[in-house]
């Protein structure tokens, strides 16, 4: 297989890069300053693309590679890949479901706790006085007016899929009543179903976004949803940045119309709205939902497993198209 040309779209994991390099003829797209020229020069040799949630394959890239057979994505979300074009051209697409579910759900709970309990603000800021009385510091006394309880709060989940369900199970252990919104009611679930997101937001205190990014779900968290959630409500986003109308979110947080937000993803990442940095009712993470060594390596193995299966004409491990 070492003559098969594979294009990796951006740096993802050194383990993945090394393992691809051992098996295939690997091209690191980011190493070519003139990427359009690179695509022209290699249009008749690239047979596979490895993309991720940051850099996938749009129609232009797909069209410029006539020998492309497969896109193996180092992500479960496929919003950066033109799936319609792949279907049209018979290009196979795979992703990395399941292996990252638990980590992303763990991080969602971490974001909820950090946002409500102000863990980041408390960390090293509200020191104990050392005058022998061990009183709490002034900062912490101020923070205490803003710290909120998690246990027992009503949690609403947008998208009760693999990750949404794993978040629900965790939140249940905190005594939280769970409800959800998806396009369809899940027959195996006892959680309360709402057939529209505004009703879900009106009936929960913590709204967690865990659905795929599609044209339907772009800005699914809009002004109406934010207003219904209200000044005591919190939004947690571990889906994709464009799920939220970010300017609306920022103004609601600044004006106190929304209680808080825990965000792993941003509408124009890696750009983060400047105003968010000045707020103490937000927790901001750099898209690290699946970012543990164990899971990243398992994702890499799945990416490679899919490529190998394809080129050995065996069934793909996790096919999408
Ligand atoms: P999944 O198992 O396919 O679940 C997706 C859920 O969303 C399903 O319950 C689906 O139910 C629902 N859904 C789909 N379209 C919807 C719509 N228009 N409105 C409301 N609900 C909708 O996917 P998953 O593995 O849980 O992953 C979910 C997403 O998490 C991924 O697509 C990815 O974008 C994101 N993610 C983020 C990170 C991170 O690092 N932050 C890591 C991994 C994944 P219905 O079909 O009934 O609507």
């Amino acid at each position: 297989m070492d003559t098969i040309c594979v294009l990796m779209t951006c740096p993802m994991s050194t383990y993945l890069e090394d393992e691809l390099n051992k098996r295939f003829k690997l091209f690191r797209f980011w190493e070519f300053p003139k990427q359009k020229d690179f695509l022209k020069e290699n249009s008749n040799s690239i047979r596979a693309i490895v993309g991720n949630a940051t850099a996938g394959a749009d129609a232009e890239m797909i069209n410029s590679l006539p020998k492309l057979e497969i896109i193996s994505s180092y992500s479960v979300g496929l919003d950066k890949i033109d799936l319609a074009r792949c279907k049209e051209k018979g290009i196979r697409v795979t992703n990395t479901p399941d292996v990252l579910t638990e980590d992303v759900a763990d991080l969602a709970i971490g974001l909820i706790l950090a946002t409500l309990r102000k863990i980041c603000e408390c960390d090293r800021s509200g020191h104990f006085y050392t005058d022998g009385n061990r009183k709490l510091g002034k900062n912490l006394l101020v923070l205490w007016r803003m710290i909120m309880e998690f246990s027992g709060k009503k949690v609403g989940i947008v998208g009760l899929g693999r990750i949404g369900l794993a978040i629900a199970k965790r939140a249940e252990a905190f005594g939280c009543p769970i409800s959800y919104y998806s396009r369809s009611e899940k027959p195996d679930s006892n959680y309360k179903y709402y057939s529209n997101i505004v009703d879900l937001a009106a009936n929960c205190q913590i709204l967690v976004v865990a659905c795929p990014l599609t044209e339907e779900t772009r800005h699914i968290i809009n002004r109406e949803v934010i207003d219904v959630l209200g000044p005591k409500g919190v939004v947690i986003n571990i889906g994709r940045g464009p799920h939220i109308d970010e300017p609306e979110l920022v103004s609601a947080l600044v004006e106190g119309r929304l209680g808080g937000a825990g965000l792993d993803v941003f509408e124009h990442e890696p750009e983060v709205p400047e105003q968010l940095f000045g707020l103490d009712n937000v927790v901001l993470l750099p898209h690290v939902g699946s970012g543990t060594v164990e899971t990243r390596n398992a994702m890499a193995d799945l990416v490679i497993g899919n490529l190998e299966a394809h080129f050995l004409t065996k069934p793909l491990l996790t096919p999408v198209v």
Side-chain angles (χ1 to χ4, degrees):
M1 282 196 205
D2 55 4
T3 56
I4 295 173
C5 296
V6 175
L7 178 66
M8 196 172 181
T9 57
C10 66
M12 300 168 203
S13 128
T14 46
Y15 169 72
L16 174 60
E17 217 174 300
D18 292 346
E19 294 304 311
L20 284 171
N21 205 31
K22 279 182 207 163
R23 293 166 171 79
F24 303 98
K25 185 165 182 202
L26 182 66
F27 292 92
R28 296 167 177 85
F29 200 34
W30 63 96
E31 288 183 350
F32 298 93
K34 294 184 178 168
Q35 296 190 330
K36 283 201 171 147
D37 290 349
F38 168 84
L39 289 177
K40 258 188 218 154
E41 283 156 22
N42 295 279
S43 62
N44 281 319
S45 56
I46 304 290
R47 293 174 66 192
I49 290 177
V50 173
N52 71 355
T54 304
D58 58 12
E60 195 184 342
M61 182 184 264
I62 294 167
N63 287 342
S64 64
L65 298 173
K67 303 285 186 223
L68 185 63
E69 295 168 36
I70 180 167
I71 301 174
S72 183
S73 192
Y74 182 68
S75 67
V76 68
L78 294 167
D79 46 282
K80 287 277 162 72
I81 297 173
D82 192 323
L83 295 177
R85 191 57 55 105
C86 291
K87 275 183 202 151
E88 208 178 281
K89 292 187 157 255
I91 295 165
R92 305 302 310 273
V93 179
T94 63
N95 63 349
T96 58
D98 299 313
V99 292
L100 46 64
T101 297
E102 308 304 328
D103 275 349
V104 182
D106 288 351
L107 193 85
I109 298 298
L111 269 176
I112 294 174
L113 283 168
T115 306
L116 295 179
R117 299 295 303 268
K118 302 272 178 284
I119 292 174
C120 308
E121 280 81 6
C122 289
D123 178 31
R124 277 160 277 192
S125 67
H127 298 294
F128 288 107
Y129 286 128
T130 51
D131 61 0
N133 292 323
R134 292 181 66 78
K135 284 182 288 192
L136 292 170
K138 191 167 170 255
N139 290 351
L140 195 51
L141 288 174
V142 172
L143 272 176
W144 255 359
R145 281 188 247 127
M146 300 159 59
I147 293 174
M148 292 181 278
E149 186 178 34
F150 174 34
S151 290
K153 284 234 156 57
K154 290 188 271 180
V155 172
I157 296 178
V158 184
L160 196 74
R162 289 171 291 242
I163 295 171
L165 194 59
I167 296 167
K169 283 184 186 156
R170 285 158 173 73
E172 248 188 319
F174 284 83
C176 300
I178 311 292
S179 50
Y180 71 99
Y181 162 67
S182 287
R183 289 168 303 181
S184 58
E185 187 166 2
K186 308 294 165 199
D188 302 336
S189 161
N190 291 323
Y191 304 133
K192 182 157 177 50
Y193 174 67
Y194 289 97
S195 60
N196 78 75
I197 191 169
V198 178
D199 288 344
L200 176 71
N203 287 285
C204 71
Q205 294 157 297
I206 302 167
L207 188 65
V208 186
V209 187
C211 60
L213 177 64
T214 61
E215 275 320 302
E216 247 184 314
T217 62
R218 188 173 297 275
H219 286 192
I220 194 167
I221 309 297
N222 55 19
R223 169 100 189 205
E224 189 183 7
V225 172
I226 291 169
D227 283 349
V228 164
L229 202 53
K232 291 194 172 161
V234 166
V235 171
I236 302 294
N237 191 5
I238 52 82
R240 288 284 185 263
H243 282 135
I244 299 184
D245 183 336
E246 210 164 64
E248 285 293 350
L249 177 84
V250 172
S251 57
L253 288 164
V254 169
E255 292 160 20
R257 287 185 286 109
L258 182 69
L263 308 170
D264 184 40
V265 284
F266 299 88
E267 190 159 9
H268 305 290
E269 60 190 49
E271 302 302 321
V272 176
E274 194 57 38
Q275 282 165 294
L276 290 180
F277 287 101
L279 297 178
D280 50 21
N281 53 352
V282 297
V283 175
L284 312 172
L285 300 181
H287 201 150
V288 290
S290 61
T292 66
V293 175
E294 295 88 341
T295 287
R296 290 286 163 114
N297 288 352
M299 289 164 67
D301 289 339
L302 210 40
V303 165
I304 293 162
N306 274 307
L307 290 178
E308 288 181 333
H310 173 77
F311 289 113
L312 292 169
T313 59
K314 288 183 178 169
L316 298 178
L317 307 180
T318 48
V320 179
V321 175

